[in-house]
Amino acid sequence: MKTLFAIAAALLVLAGGPVWASVGDSVDVGIVTDDGRTLPLYVKTSRHGLKKVYAEALRGDHYRIVVHNRLSRRVGLVVTVDGRNIISGQKSWLRNTERMYILEPHATNEYSGWRTGSDRVNRFYFTDVPDSYAAAFGDTSAMGVIAVAVYPEVRRQEQEMDFSLSAPLGRAKDRAAGQVAPSAKMEESRSAGTGYGREEYSPSRQVRFDPEARAVETILVKYEWRETLCRKHVISCGGGYGQPGNRLWDGYGFAPPPPGRR
């Protein structure tokens, strides 16, 4: 058993505020930018019933991951961005042995950056892949994915734990990072990532927490630029006769040249 992080900052109050898009059963997960904009979430269901959640990112926007616990017990959240644990900075497999944030029953909190100390984070912002935090480690294996794995607390008496802090985030590349194929690199160049932004004050404290062996739920949100969502037909963007979309809503506000003339 190990020490896990719990945020001690004031909880985000949603009552009376704007309606925010969220996804999840045991928890609600949403993404909110600093200007108060909530990213729309698009759910695509495959033939096998697998749900893929997409979100539209805007370059340069600083954002926060907002989580509301719908359960009547504490949960541990393994939160990752671009495949990296947002507390330790290490490559994540969403396991219950990783660093977690603890969320009280029916509570809401937000996670706004890479934790670089017990009282500070460096903010998340949408950027191109080469500028992303994960790419600095040579790791693009889960680029553009925000993941939240939910581990309820074991219902038994708490045991003694080791209260040692994790090491500060490093800048060295992962020794296990593999080479990316040329075709994958081309796709990544058009993809979105999350950068290592400005430092902000964000107090936290360590608490005793014993997570269950398996996550009760894992939520994956793939954020992309609008042009990528259009290309993947996640959203309707117009683009000509016979194409889905609203000719008034989806216009870009400029007069195009007449047909046949450049």
Coordinates of all heavy atoms in Angstrom, one line a residue, residues 127-221:
T127 N -2.1 22.1 -27.5 CA -1.1 22.5 -28.4 C -0.8 21.4 -29.4 O -1.4 20.3 -29.4 CB 0.2 22.8 -27.6 OG1 1.2 23.3 -28.4 CG2 0.8 21.5 -26.9
D128 N 0.1 21.6 -30.3 CA 0.5 20.6 -31.3 C 1.4 19.6 -30.6 O 2.1 19.8 -29.6 CB 1.2 21.3 -32.5 CG 0.3 22.2 -33.3 OD1 -0.8 21.7 -33.6 OD2 0.7 23.4 -33.5
V129 N 1.4 18.4 -31.2 CA 2.2 17.3 -30.6 C 3.6 17.6 -30.3 O 4.1 17.3 -29.2 CB 2.1 16.0 -31.6 CG1 3.0 14.9 -31.1 CG2 0.6 15.5 -31.6
P130 N 4.4 18.2 -31.2 CA 5.8 18.4 -30.8 C 6.0 19.3 -29.6 O 7.1 19.2 -28.9 CB 6.4 19.1 -32.1 CG 5.5 18.7 -33.2 CD 4.1 18.6 -32.6
D131 N 5.0 20.1 -29.2 CA 5.1 21.0 -28.1 C 4.5 20.4 -26.8 O 4.5 21.0 -25.7 CB 4.4 22.3 -28.4 CG 4.5 23.3 -27.2 OD1 5.6 23.5 -26.7 OD2 3.5 23.9 -26.9
S132 N 4.1 19.1 -26.9 CA 3.3 18.5 -25.8 C 4.3 18.0 -24.7 O 5.5 17.7 -25.0 CB 2.5 17.4 -26.3 OG 3.3 16.3 -26.8
Y133 N 3.8 17.8 -23.5 CA 4.6 17.3 -22.4 C 5.0 15.9 -22.7 O 6.2 15.5 -22.5 CB 3.7 17.3 -21.1 CG 4.4 16.8 -19.9 CD1 5.4 17.5 -19.3 CD2 4.0 15.6 -19.4 CE1 6.0 17.1 -18.1 CE2 4.7 15.1 -18.2 CZ 5.7 15.8 -17.6 OH 6.3 15.3 -16.5
A134 N 4.1 15.0 -23.2 CA 4.4 13.6 -23.5 C 5.5 13.5 -24.5 O 6.4 12.6 -24.4 CB 3.2 12.9 -23.9
A135 N 5.4 14.3 -25.6 CA 6.4 14.2 -26.7 C 7.8 14.6 -26.2 O 8.8 14.1 -26.7 CB 6.0 15.1 -27.8
A136 N 7.9 15.4 -25.1 CA 9.2 15.7 -24.6 C 9.9 14.5 -24.0 O 11.1 14.5 -23.9 CB 9.1 16.8 -23.5
F137 N 9.1 13.5 -23.7 CA 9.7 12.2 -23.2 C 9.8 11.2 -24.3 O 10.2 10.0 -24.0 CB 8.8 11.6 -22.1 CG 8.8 12.5 -20.8 CD1 7.9 13.5 -20.6 CD2 9.7 12.2 -19.8 CE1 7.9 14.3 -19.5 CE2 9.7 12.9 -18.6 CZ 8.8 14.0 -18.5
G138 N 9.6 11.6 -25.5 CA 9.6 10.6 -26.6 C 8.4 9.7 -26.6 O 8.5 8.6 -27.2
D139 N 7.3 10.0 -25.9 CA 6.2 9.1 -25.8 C 5.0 9.7 -26.4 O 4.4 10.7 -25.9 CB 5.9 8.9 -24.3 CG 4.7 8.0 -24.1 OD1 4.3 7.3 -25.0 OD2 4.2 8.1 -22.9
T140 N 4.6 9.2 -27.6 CA 3.4 9.6 -28.3 C 2.4 8.5 -28.4 O 1.5 8.5 -29.2 CB 3.7 10.2 -29.7 OG1 4.4 9.2 -30.4 CG2 4.5 11.5 -29.6
S141 N 2.5 7.5 -27.6 CA 1.7 6.2 -27.7 C 0.3 6.4 -27.3 O -0.6 5.6 -27.7 CB 2.3 5.1 -26.8 OG 2.4 5.6 -25.4
A142 N -0.1 7.5 -26.5 CA -1.5 7.7 -26.2 C -1.8 9.2 -26.3 O -2.5 9.8 -25.5 CB -1.7 7.2 -24.7
M143 N -1.2 9.8 -27.4 CA -1.4 11.2 -27.6 C -2.9 11.6 -27.8 O -3.6 10.9 -28.5 CB -0.6 11.6 -28.8 CG -0.5 13.1 -29.0 SD 0.2 14.0 -27.6 CE 1.9 13.3 -27.6
G144 N -3.3 12.7 -27.2 CA -4.6 13.2 -27.4 C -5.7 12.5 -26.6 O -6.9 12.7 -26.9
V145 N -5.3 11.7 -25.6 CA -6.3 11.0 -24.8 C -6.3 11.4 -23.3 O -5.2 11.4 -22.7 CB -6.1 9.4 -24.9 CG1 -7.1 8.7 -23.9 CG2 -6.2 9.0 -26.3
I146 N -7.4 11.8 -22.8 CA -7.6 12.1 -21.4 C -8.3 10.9 -20.8 O -9.3 10.4 -21.3 CB -8.4 13.3 -21.2 CG1 -7.7 14.6 -21.7 CG2 -8.8 13.5 -19.7 CD1 -8.5 15.8 -21.7
A147 N -7.7 10.3 -19.8 CA -8.2 9.0 -19.2 C -8.4 9.2 -17.7 O -7.6 9.8 -17.0 CB -7.3 7.9 -19.4
V148 N -9.6 8.7 -17.2 CA -9.9 8.7 -15.8 C -10.3 7.3 -15.4 O -11.3 6.8 -15.8 CB -11.0 9.7 -15.4 CG1 -11.3 9.6 -13.9 CG2 -10.6 11.1 -15.9
A149 N -9.5 6.6 -14.6 CA -9.8 5.3 -14.0 C -10.3 5.5 -12.6 O -9.6 6.1 -11.8 CB -8.6 4.4 -14.1
V150 N -11.4 4.9 -12.3 CA -12.1 5.1 -11.0 C -12.0 3.9 -10.1 O -12.5 2.8 -10.5 CB -13.6 5.4 -11.2 CG1 -14.2 5.8 -9.9 CG2 -13.7 6.6 -12.2
Y151 N -11.3 4.0 -9.0 CA -11.1 2.9 -8.0 C -11.8 3.2 -6.7 O -11.3 4.1 -5.9 CB -9.6 2.7 -7.7 CG -8.9 2.1 -8.9 CD1 -8.2 2.9 -9.8 CD2 -8.8 0.7 -9.1 CE1 -7.5 2.4 -10.9 CE2 -8.1 0.2 -10.1 CZ -7.5 1.0 -11.1 OH -6.8 0.5 -12.1
P152 N -12.9 2.6 -6.4 CA -13.5 2.8 -5.1 C -12.6 2.3 -3.9 O -11.8 1.5 -4.1 CB -14.8 1.9 -5.1 CG -15.1 1.7 -6.6 CD -13.7 1.7 -7.2
E153 N -12.9 2.9 -2.8 CA -12.1 2.6 -1.6 C -12.5 1.2 -1.0 O -13.7 0.9 -1.0 CB -12.2 3.6 -0.5 CG -11.4 3.4 0.7 CD -11.4 4.6 1.7 OE1 -12.4 5.4 1.6 OE2 -10.5 4.8 2.5
V154 N -11.6 0.4 -0.6 CA -11.9 -0.9 0.0 C -12.6 -0.6 1.3 O -12.2 0.2 2.1 CB -10.6 -1.7 0.2 CG1 -10.9 -3.0 1.0 CG2 -10.0 -2.1 -1.1
R155 N -13.6 -1.4 1.6 CA -14.4 -1.2 2.8 C -13.8 -2.0 3.9 O -14.3 -3.1 4.2 CB -15.9 -1.6 2.6 CG -16.6 -0.7 1.5 CD -18.0 -1.2 1.4 NE -18.7 -0.5 0.4 CZ -19.3 0.7 0.5 NH1 -19.3 1.3 1.7 NH2 -20.0 1.3 -0.5
R156 N -12.7 -1.6 4.5 CA -12.2 -2.2 5.7 C -11.3 -1.2 6.4 O -11.0 -0.1 5.9 CB -11.3 -3.5 5.3 CG -10.1 -3.2 4.4 CD -9.2 -4.4 4.4 NE -8.1 -4.3 3.5 CZ -8.0 -4.7 2.3 NH1 -8.9 -5.4 1.8 NH2 -6.8 -4.6 1.6
Q157 N -10.9 -1.6 7.6 CA -10.1 -0.7 8.4 C -8.8 -0.3 7.7 O -8.1 -1.1 7.2 CB -9.8 -1.3 9.8 CG -9.1 -0.4 10.8 CD -9.0 -1.0 12.1 OE1 -9.4 -2.1 12.3 NE2 -8.4 -0.3 13.1
E158 N -8.5 1.0 7.8 CA -7.3 1.5 7.1 C -6.1 0.9 7.8 O -6.1 0.7 9.0 CB -7.3 3.0 7.1 CG -8.3 3.6 6.2 CD -8.4 5.1 6.4 OE1 -7.8 5.6 7.3 OE2 -8.9 5.8 5.5
Q159 N -5.0 0.7 7.0 CA -3.8 0.2 7.6 C -2.7 1.3 7.5 O -2.8 2.3 6.9 CB -3.3 -1.0 6.8 CG -4.4 -2.2 6.7 CD -3.9 -3.3 5.8 OE1 -2.8 -3.3 5.3 NE2 -4.8 -4.3 5.7
E160 N -1.6 1.0 8.3 CA -0.5 2.0 8.2 C 0.1 2.0 6.9 O 0.2 1.0 6.2 CB 0.6 1.5 9.3 CG 0.1 1.7 10.7 CD -0.3 3.1 11.1 OE1 0.4 4.0 10.6 OE2 -1.2 3.3 11.8
M161 N 0.6 3.2 6.5 CA 1.1 3.4 5.1 C 2.4 4.1 5.1 O 2.8 4.8 6.1 CB 0.1 4.2 4.3 CG -1.3 3.6 4.3 SD -2.5 4.5 3.4 CE -1.8 4.3 1.7
D162 N 3.1 4.1 4.0 CA 4.4 4.8 3.8 C 4.0 6.2 3.3 O 3.3 6.3 2.4 CB 5.3 4.1 2.8 CG 6.5 4.9 2.5 OD1 6.8 5.8 3.2 OD2 7.1 4.6 1.4
F163 N 4.5 7.3 4.0 CA 4.1 8.6 3.6 C 5.2 9.3 2.8 O 5.2 10.6 2.8 CB 3.8 9.4 4.9 CG 2.4 9.2 5.4 CD1 2.1 8.0 6.1 CD2 1.4 10.0 5.1 CE1 0.9 7.8 6.6 CE2 0.1 9.8 5.6 CZ -0.2 8.7 6.3
S164 N 6.0 8.6 2.1 CA 7.1 9.3 1.4 C 6.5 9.9 0.1 O 5.6 9.4 -0.5 CB 8.2 8.2 1.0 OG 7.6 7.2 0.2
L165 N 7.1 11.1 -0.3 CA 6.6 11.8 -1.5 C 7.3 11.1 -2.7 O 8.4 10.6 -2.7 CB 7.0 13.2 -1.4 CG 6.2 14.1 -0.4 CD1 6.8 15.4 -0.3 CD2 4.8 14.2 -0.9
S166 N 6.6 11.3 -3.9 CA 7.2 10.9 -5.1 C 8.3 11.9 -5.5 O 8.3 13.0 -5.1 CB 6.2 10.8 -6.2 OG 5.7 12.0 -6.5
A167 N 9.2 11.4 -6.4 CA 10.3 12.3 -6.9 C 9.7 13.4 -7.8 O 8.6 13.2 -8.4 CB 11.3 11.5 -7.6
P168 N 10.3 14.6 -7.9 CA 9.8 15.6 -8.8 C 9.8 15.1 -10.2 O 10.6 14.2 -10.6 CB 10.8 16.8 -8.6 CG 11.5 16.5 -7.3 CD 11.5 15.0 -7.1
L169 N 9.0 15.7 -11.0 CA 8.9 15.4 -12.4 C 10.2 15.6 -13.1 O 10.8 16.7 -12.9 CB 7.8 16.2 -13.1 CG 6.4 16.0 -12.6 CD1 5.4 16.8 -13.4 CD2 6.0 14.5 -12.6
G170 N 10.6 14.7 -14.0 CA 11.9 14.9 -14.7 C 11.6 15.3 -16.1 O 10.5 15.3 -16.6
R171 N 12.7 15.6 -16.8 CA 12.6 16.0 -18.2 C 13.2 15.0 -19.1 O 13.2 15.1 -20.3 CB 13.3 17.4 -18.4 CG 12.4 18.5 -18.0 CD 11.2 18.6 -18.8 NE 10.4 19.8 -18.5 CZ 9.4 20.2 -19.2 NH1 8.9 19.5 -20.1 NH2 8.8 21.4 -18.9
A172 N 13.9 14.0 -18.6 CA 14.6 13.0 -19.4 C 13.6 12.1 -20.2 O 12.5 11.9 -19.7 CB 15.5 12.1 -18.6
K173 N 13.9 11.7 -21.3 CA 13.1 10.8 -22.1 C 13.0 9.4 -21.5 O 13.9 8.9 -20.8 CB 13.6 10.7 -23.5 CG 13.5 11.9 -24.3 CD 13.9 11.7 -25.8 CE 13.7 13.0 -26.6 NZ 14.1 12.7 -28.0
D174 N 11.8 8.7 -21.7 CA 11.6 7.4 -21.2 C 12.6 6.5 -21.9 O 12.7 6.5 -23.1 CB 10.2 6.9 -21.4 CG 9.2 7.6 -20.5 OD1 9.6 8.1 -19.5 OD2 8.0 7.5 -20.8
R175 N 13.3 5.7 -21.1 CA 14.2 4.7 -21.7 C 13.5 3.7 -22.6 O 14.0 3.1 -23.5 CB 15.1 4.0 -20.7 CG 16.1 5.0 -20.1 CD 16.8 4.3 -18.9 NE 15.9 4.1 -17.8 CZ 16.3 3.5 -16.6 NH1 17.5 3.1 -16.5 NH2 15.4 3.3 -15.7
A176 N 12.2 3.4 -22.2 CA 11.5 2.4 -22.9 C 10.7 2.9 -24.1 O 10.0 2.2 -24.7 CB 10.5 1.7 -21.9
A177 N 10.8 4.2 -24.3 CA 10.0 4.8 -25.5 C 10.5 4.2 -26.8 O 11.7 4.2 -27.1 CB 10.2 6.3 -25.5
G178 N 9.5 3.8 -27.6 CA 9.9 3.2 -28.9 C 9.9 4.2 -30.0 O 9.5 5.3 -29.9
Q179 N 10.3 3.7 -31.2 CA 10.4 4.6 -32.3 C 9.0 4.6 -33.0 O 8.3 3.6 -33.0 CB 11.4 4.0 -33.4 CG 12.8 4.0 -32.8 CD 13.3 5.4 -32.5 OE1 13.0 6.4 -33.3 NE2 14.0 5.6 -31.4
V180 N 8.6 5.7 -33.6 CA 7.3 5.9 -34.2 C 7.5 5.8 -35.7 O 8.4 6.3 -36.3 CB 6.7 7.3 -33.9 CG1 5.4 7.5 -34.5 CG2 6.7 7.5 -32.4
A181 N 6.6 5.0 -36.3 CA 6.7 4.7 -37.7 C 6.4 6.0 -38.5 O 5.7 6.9 -38.0 CB 5.6 3.7 -38.1
P182 N 6.9 6.2 -39.7 CA 6.7 7.4 -40.5 C 5.3 7.8 -40.7 O 4.9 8.9 -40.6 CB 7.4 7.1 -41.8 CG 8.5 6.1 -41.4 CD 7.9 5.3 -40.4
S183 N 4.4 6.8 -41.0 CA 3.0 7.0 -41.2 C 2.4 7.5 -39.9 O 1.5 8.4 -40.0 CB 2.3 5.7 -41.7 OG 2.5 4.7 -40.7
A184 N 2.8 7.0 -38.8 CA 2.2 7.5 -37.5 C 2.7 8.9 -37.2 O 1.9 9.7 -36.7 CB 2.7 6.6 -36.4
K185 N 3.9 9.2 -37.6 CA 4.4 10.6 -37.4 C 3.6 11.6 -38.2 O 3.4 12.7 -37.8 CB 5.9 10.7 -37.8 CG 6.8 10.0 -36.8 CD 8.3 10.2 -37.2 CE 9.2 9.5 -36.2 NZ 10.6 9.7 -36.6
M186 N 3.2 11.2 -39.4 CA 2.5 12.1 -40.3 C 1.1 12.4 -39.6 O 0.6 13.5 -39.6 CB 2.3 11.5 -41.7 CG 1.6 12.4 -42.6 SD 1.5 11.7 -44.3 CE 3.2 11.5 -44.7
E187 N 0.5 11.3 -39.1 CA -0.8 11.5 -38.4 C -0.7 12.4 -37.2 O -1.5 13.2 -36.9 CB -1.4 10.1 -38.1 CG -2.7 10.2 -37.3 CD -3.8 10.8 -38.2 OE1 -3.7 10.7 -39.4 OE2 -4.8 11.3 -37.6
E188 N 0.4 12.2 -36.4 CA 0.6 12.9 -35.2 C 0.8 14.4 -35.5 O 0.4 15.3 -34.7 CB 1.9 12.4 -34.5 CG 1.6 11.0 -33.8 CD 3.0 10.4 -33.3 OE1 4.0 11.1 -33.4 OE2 3.0 9.3 -32.9
S189 N 1.4 14.7 -36.6 CA 1.6 16.1 -36.9 C 0.4 16.9 -37.1 O 0.3 18.1 -37.0 CB 2.5 16.2 -38.2 OG 1.7 15.8 -39.3
R190 N -0.7 16.2 -37.3 CA -2.0 16.9 -37.4 C -2.9 16.7 -36.2 O -4.0 17.1 -36.2 CB -2.8 16.3 -38.7 CG -2.1 16.5 -40.0 CD -2.9 16.0 -41.1 NE -3.1 14.5 -41.1 CZ -3.8 13.8 -42.0 NH1 -4.3 14.5 -43.0 NH2 -3.9 12.5 -41.9
S191 N -2.3 16.1 -35.2 CA -3.1 15.8 -33.9 C -2.9 16.8 -32.9 O -2.0 17.7 -33.0 CB -2.7 14.4 -33.4 OG -3.0 13.4 -34.4
A192 N -3.7 16.7 -31.8 CA -3.6 17.7 -30.7 C -2.9 17.0 -29.5 O -2.9 15.8 -29.4 CB -5.0 18.1 -30.2
G193 N -2.2 17.8 -28.7 CA -1.6 17.3 -27.5 C -1.7 18.3 -26.4 O -2.4 19.4 -26.6
T194 N -1.2 18.0 -25.2 CA -1.3 18.9 -24.1 C 0.1 19.4 -23.6 O 1.0 18.5 -23.4 CB -2.0 18.2 -22.9 OG1 -3.4 18.1 -23.2 CG2 -1.9 19.1 -21.6
G195 N 0.3 20.7 -23.5 CA 1.6 21.2 -23.1 C 1.8 21.4 -21.6 O 0.9 21.1 -20.8
Y196 N 3.0 21.8 -21.2 CA 3.4 22.0 -19.9 C 3.4 23.5 -19.6 O 4.4 24.2 -20.0 CB 4.8 21.4 -19.7 CG 5.4 21.4 -18.3 CD1 5.1 20.4 -17.4 CD2 6.3 22.4 -17.9 CE1 5.7 20.3 -16.2 CE2 6.9 22.4 -16.7 CZ 6.6 21.3 -15.8 OH 7.2 21.3 -14.6
G197 N 2.3 24.0 -19.1 CA 2.1 25.4 -19.1 C 2.5 26.2 -17.9 O 3.4 25.7 -17.2
R198 N 2.0 27.3 -17.7 CA 2.4 28.2 -16.6 C 2.2 27.5 -15.2 O 1.3 26.7 -15.0 CB 1.6 29.5 -16.6 CG 0.1 29.4 -16.4 CD -0.6 30.8 -16.4 NE -2.0 30.6 -16.2 CZ -2.9 30.6 -17.1 NH1 -2.6 30.6 -18.4 NH2 -4.2 30.4 -16.8
E199 N 3.0 27.9 -14.3 CA 2.9 27.4 -12.9 C 1.8 28.1 -12.1 O 1.7 29.3 -12.2 CB 4.3 27.5 -12.2 CG 4.3 26.9 -10.8 CD 5.6 27.0 -10.1 OE1 6.5 26.2 -10.5 OE2 5.8 27.9 -9.3
E200 N 1.1 27.3 -11.4 CA 0.0 27.9 -10.5 C 0.0 27.3 -9.1 O 0.5 26.1 -9.0 CB -1.4 27.8 -11.1 CG -1.6 28.7 -12.3 CD -3.1 28.6 -12.8 OE1 -3.8 27.8 -12.2 OE2 -3.4 29.4 -13.7
Y201 N -0.4 28.0 -8.2 CA -0.6 27.5 -6.8 C -1.7 26.5 -6.7 O -2.8 26.8 -7.2 CB -0.8 28.6 -5.8 CG -1.0 28.2 -4.4 CD1 0.0 27.7 -3.7 CD2 -2.2 28.4 -3.8 CE1 -0.1 27.3 -2.3 CE2 -2.4 28.0 -2.4 CZ -1.4 27.5 -1.7 OH -1.6 27.1 -0.4
S202 N -1.5 25.3 -6.2 CA -2.5 24.3 -6.1 C -2.2 23.4 -4.9 O -1.4 22.4 -5.1 CB -2.6 23.5 -7.4 OG -3.5 22.4 -7.2
P203 N -2.6 23.7 -3.7 CA -2.3 22.9 -2.5 C -2.9 21.5 -2.5 O -3.9 21.3 -3.0 CB -2.8 23.8 -1.3 CG -4.0 24.5 -2.0 CD -3.6 24.8 -3.4
S204 N -2.1 20.6 -1.9 CA -2.6 19.2 -1.8 C -2.1 18.6 -0.5 O -1.2 19.2 0.1 CB -2.2 18.4 -3.0 OG -0.8 18.2 -3.0
R205 N -2.6 17.5 -0.1 CA -2.2 16.8 1.1 C -2.3 15.3 0.8 O -3.0 14.9 -0.1 CB -3.0 17.2 2.3 CG -4.5 16.9 2.2 CD -5.3 17.4 3.3 NE -6.7 17.2 3.2 CZ -7.3 16.1 3.5 NH1 -6.7 15.1 4.1 NH2 -8.6 15.9 3.3
Q206 N -1.5 14.5 1.6 CA -1.6 13.1 1.4 C -2.5 12.5 2.4 O -2.6 12.9 3.6 CB -0.2 12.5 1.6 CG 0.8 12.9 0.5 CD 2.2 12.4 0.8 OE1 2.6 12.3 1.9 NE2 2.9 12.0 -0.3
V207 N -3.2 11.4 1.9 CA -4.2 10.7 2.8 C -4.0 9.2 2.7 O -3.4 8.8 1.7 CB -5.7 11.1 2.4 CG1 -5.9 12.6 2.6 CG2 -6.0 10.7 1.0
R208 N -4.5 8.5 3.6 CA -4.5 7.1 3.5 C -5.7 6.6 2.7 O -6.8 7.0 2.9 CB -4.7 6.5 4.9 CG -3.5 6.7 5.9 CD -3.7 6.0 7.2 NE -2.5 6.2 8.1 CZ -2.6 6.6 9.3 NH1 -3.7 6.9 9.9 NH2 -1.5 6.7 10.0
F209 N -5.4 5.7 1.8 CA -6.4 5.2 0.8 C -6.0 3.9 0.3 O -4.9 3.7 -0.1 CB -6.6 6.2 -0.3 CG -7.7 5.8 -1.2 CD1 -9.0 6.2 -0.9 CD2 -7.5 5.1 -2.4 CE1 -10.1 5.9 -1.8 CE2 -8.6 4.8 -3.2 CZ -9.9 5.2 -2.9
D210 N -7.0 2.9 0.4 CA -6.7 1.6 0.0 C -7.7 1.3 -1.2 O -8.9 1.0 -1.0 CB -7.0 0.6 1.1 CG -6.6 -0.8 0.8 OD1 -6.0 -1.0 -0.3 OD2 -6.9 -1.8 1.6
P211 N -7.2 1.3 -2.5 CA -8.1 1.2 -3.6 C -8.4 -0.3 -3.9 O -7.7 -1.2 -3.5 CB -7.3 1.7 -4.8 CG -5.9 1.5 -4.4 CD -5.8 1.6 -2.9
E212 N -9.6 -0.5 -4.4 CA -10.0 -1.9 -4.9 C -9.0 -2.3 -6.0 O -8.4 -1.5 -6.6 CB -11.4 -1.9 -5.3 CG -12.4 -1.7 -4.2 CD -13.9 -1.9 -4.6 OE1 -14.1 -2.0 -5.9 OE2 -14.7 -2.1 -3.8
A213 N -9.0 -3.6 -6.2 CA -8.1 -4.1 -7.2 C -8.4 -3.7 -8.7 O -7.5 -3.6 -9.5 CB -8.0 -5.7 -7.1
R214 N -9.7 -3.6 -8.9 CA -10.1 -3.2 -10.3 C -10.9 -1.9 -10.3 O -11.6 -1.6 -9.4 CB -11.0 -4.4 -10.9 CG -10.2 -5.7 -11.1 CD -11.0 -6.7 -11.8 NE -10.3 -7.9 -12.0 CZ -10.8 -9.0 -12.7 NH1 -12.1 -8.9 -13.2 NH2 -10.1 -10.1 -12.9
A215 N -10.7 -1.2 -11.4 CA -11.4 0.0 -11.6 C -12.9 -0.3 -11.8 O -13.2 -1.2 -12.6 CB -10.9 0.8 -12.7
V216 N -13.8 0.5 -11.2 CA -15.2 0.3 -11.5 C -15.6 0.9 -12.8 O -16.6 0.5 -13.4 CB -16.0 0.9 -10.3 CG1 -15.9 2.4 -10.3 CG2 -17.5 0.5 -10.4
E217 N -14.8 1.8 -13.3 CA -15.1 2.5 -14.6 C -13.8 3.1 -15.1 O -13.0 3.7 -14.3 CB -16.2 3.5 -14.4 CG -16.6 4.2 -15.7 CD -17.8 5.1 -15.5 OE1 -18.0 5.6 -14.4 OE2 -18.5 5.4 -16.5
T218 N -13.6 3.1 -16.4 CA -12.5 3.8 -17.0 C -13.1 4.7 -18.2 O -13.7 4.1 -19.0 CB -11.4 2.9 -17.5 OG1 -10.9 2.2 -16.4 CG2 -10.3 3.7 -18.2
I219 N -12.8 6.0 -18.1 CA -13.4 6.9 -19.1 C -12.2 7.4 -20.0 O -11.2 7.9 -19.5 CB -14.1 8.0 -18.4 CG1 -15.3 7.5 -17.6 CG2 -14.6 9.1 -19.5 CD1 -15.9 8.5 -16.7
L220 N -12.4 7.3 -21.3 CA -11.4 7.8 -22.2 C -12.0 8.8 -23.1 O -13.1 8.6 -23.7 CB -10.9 6.6 -23.1 CG -10.3 5.4 -22.4 CD1 -9.9 4.4 -23.4 CD2 -9.1 5.8 -21.6
V221 N -11.4 10.0 -23.2 CA -11.8 11.1 -24.0 C -10.7 11.5 -25.0 O -9.6 11.8 -24.6 CB -12.2 12.3 -23.2 CG1 -12.7 13.5 -24.1 CG2 -13.3 12.0 -22.2

